[in-house]
Amino acid sequence: MHKNRMDQDVEYVMYTRRKILKRVRELGKELKNDYEGKNLLVVSTLKGSYMFLADLTRAMEFPFDVDFVSCSSYGSGTVSRELVFKKDLDCDITGRDVLIVEDIVDSGNTLKALKERLLSRNPNSVKLCSLLDKKARREVEINVDYIGFPCENEFVIGYGLDYNEKYRNLPYIGVLKREIYE
Ligand code: PRP
């Protein structure tokens, strides 16, 4: 494989582009089975999920809408987290089936808070789909309905995931060398 500058900062490739696309196609079929004929709204969380969203939605061969949120959760420990929207949904979700698409579930705080916020708007359902599930870092209990891959407790970059806003455009998921961030 031709190496570019970013590849040199990768300790090892956790999931290749080929492996990701295979799994994404499987998820697309599963989602078609579960959602075709429903009033589905896919909600993507910026920015990390953009590459997963682009591939996943093309693998979901049926009609649905897509919208975007940008949010962060603040607070720590047992204090309930406050979710702040930098960008909220454009549409009303009353009575709709909502699928949140994420790149990674880490502590779980962002998704838990986002799911609760969306549930308060009276949708028919809210489910979660995450490409990566980093269980070792979980701080709150949250059920991820559709999971691409488990993720070891490593600093992962690529396929949308960043370190200081860089590396999102790597086509695979890799582990960042320690010397880059330590
Ligand atoms: C990442 C990821 C999730 C969140 C998961 O976003 O996309 O939204 O962190 O972490 P949690 O489970 O600990 O809440 P990030 O804040 O890095 O922003 P980005 O997507 O713009 O890179």
Side-chain angles (χ1 to χ4, degrees), residues 40-57:
L40 174 64
L41 175 71
V42 170
V43 172
S44 165
T45 56
L46 296 168
K47 303 174 193 166
S49 65
Y50 79 94
M51 208 173 280
F52 179 42
L53 179 85
D55 286 335
L56 181 68
T57 52

Side-chain angles (χ1 to χ4, degrees), residues 63-81:
F64 54 87
D65 302 355
V66 180
D67 202 348
F68 296 86
V69 291
S70 177
C71 54
S72 310
S73 63
Y74 297 98
S76 60
T78 52
V79 181
S80 80
R81 293 216 160 206

Side-chain angles (χ1 to χ4, degrees), residues 17 20-21 24 44 47-58 101 103 131 158-161 167-172:
R17 169 96 178 122
I20 294 168
L21 281 182
V24 166
S44 165
K47 303 174 193 166
S49 65
Y50 79 94
M51 208 173 280
F52 179 42
L53 179 85
D55 286 335
L56 181 68
T57 52
R58 280 178 289 184
V101 171
D103 50 329
L131 178 66
Y159 199 70
L161 291 144
Y167 305 104
R168 292 192 198 272
N169 58 324
L170 279 174
Y172 55 83

